[in-house]
Amino acid sequence: MSSKNDILSAIRHHIGKRYDRPELTLDAITYEDKILQFTDSLKAAGGQVVLMQPGDDINDIIRHHFPDAIRIASNLSSITCATFNPDDLDNLDDPKELDGTDVAVVKGEIGVAENGAVWITRQVKHKALYFISNSLVMLIDRNSIVNNMHEAYKRTENMTYDFGAFISGPSKTADIEQALVLGAHGPVKVLVVLK
């Protein structure tokens, strides 16, 4: 028997009365208007939301918000303003070569109203694209906005992915001279487009 098993056996031997695990019930926060709350939460985190209207073109929205962008990366077929597909670069072996990407446009899976976070999974060869680009645009179906993180985690339970992250607003830090700095170690600007 290993020392680990000896220790666990001794612990089990000295445990007194065992109790059944209580049923967990959560009284988590909900919102009357999840989209409005998501918009307000993301704005508070330094991001921005655009709610697409009938007839809007996603490419026009991206160009409007990033008029000076030269390198726009996306592997989504609907993003015709993209200047390159990061997955089509056969000679891109080092993700550091994505540095200098002005805008990355990706698909978000879930939006969380309570904190403005967006759940993304790996959709590109190099997940560094999500963090190395100067700006990040995440496209989400407006019906994928949930109230809180409890609901969001519940939705991720049956997903298959090798990488996932919640992103809420641009990268930021406030530890340097107590001044908020956006883009400290990731995108300076985050735009969420609700389809």
Side-chain angles (χ1 to χ4, degrees), residues 2-184:
S2 71
S3 59
K4 176 183 173 184
N5 287 335
D6 289 341
I7 293 169
L8 292 174
S9 179
I11 291 171
R12 286 187 198 102
H13 178 72
H14 289 90
I15 290 178
K17 184 175 181 184
R18 293 184 183 260
Y19 296 92
D20 292 333
R21 187 182 308 188
E23 183 69 31
L24 293 178
T25 56
L26 296 173
D27 189 19
I29 194 163
T30 59
Y31 301 95
E32 189 173 319
D33 187 339
K34 292 185 285 192
I35 292 174
L36 177 62
Q37 181 61 43
F38 177 81
T39 301
D40 291 346
S41 295
L42 188 61
K43 183 178 179 183
Q48 185 177 4
V49 174
V50 171
L51 186 60
M52 287 185 70
Q53 302 300 319
D56 284 353
D57 182 330
I58 183 63
N59 297 287
D60 291 341
I61 292 170
I62 293 167
R63 278 293 181 198
H64 172 75
H65 286 275
F66 305 97
D68 299 326
I70 296 170
R71 292 190 72 205
I72 300 175
S74 185
N75 63 359
L76 302 173
S77 60
S78 61
I79 308 304
T80 57
C81 67
T83 59
F84 73 99
N85 181 333
D87 294 341
D88 286 348
L89 302 175
D90 293 331
N91 58 352
L92 181 70
D93 295 321
D94 188 350
K96 287 186 280 187
E97 295 175 38
L98 291 167
D99 193 15
T101 300
D102 296 313
V103 179
V105 184
V106 300
K107 181 177 177 261
E109 303 291 334
I110 304 166
V112 185
E114 78 174 323
N115 58 12
V118 176
W119 172 252
I120 61 170
T121 57
R122 183 202 301 255
Q123 305 151 18
V124 292
K125 179 180 176 184
H126 295 292
K127 63 184 178 251
L129 180 69
Y130 305 138
F131 309 103
I132 203 168
S133 63
N134 294 329
S135 298
L136 182 63
V137 176
M138 295 180 281
L139 312 178
I140 306 176
D141 182 326
R142 67 182 73 199
N143 296 317
S144 296
I145 304 292
V146 297
N147 288 295
N148 52 60
M149 291 298 288
H150 302 290
E151 292 177 19
Y153 278 120
K154 199 76 163 153
R155 286 210 183 169
T156 66
E157 286 178 355
N158 297 321
M159 290 183 175
T160 302
Y161 54 90
D162 67 344
F163 169 82
F166 282 102
I167 296 177
S168 181
S171 164
K172 52 195 153 299
T173 185
D175 61 349
I176 302 169
E177 298 180 13
Q178 299 178 349
L180 180 63
V181 177
L182 295 180

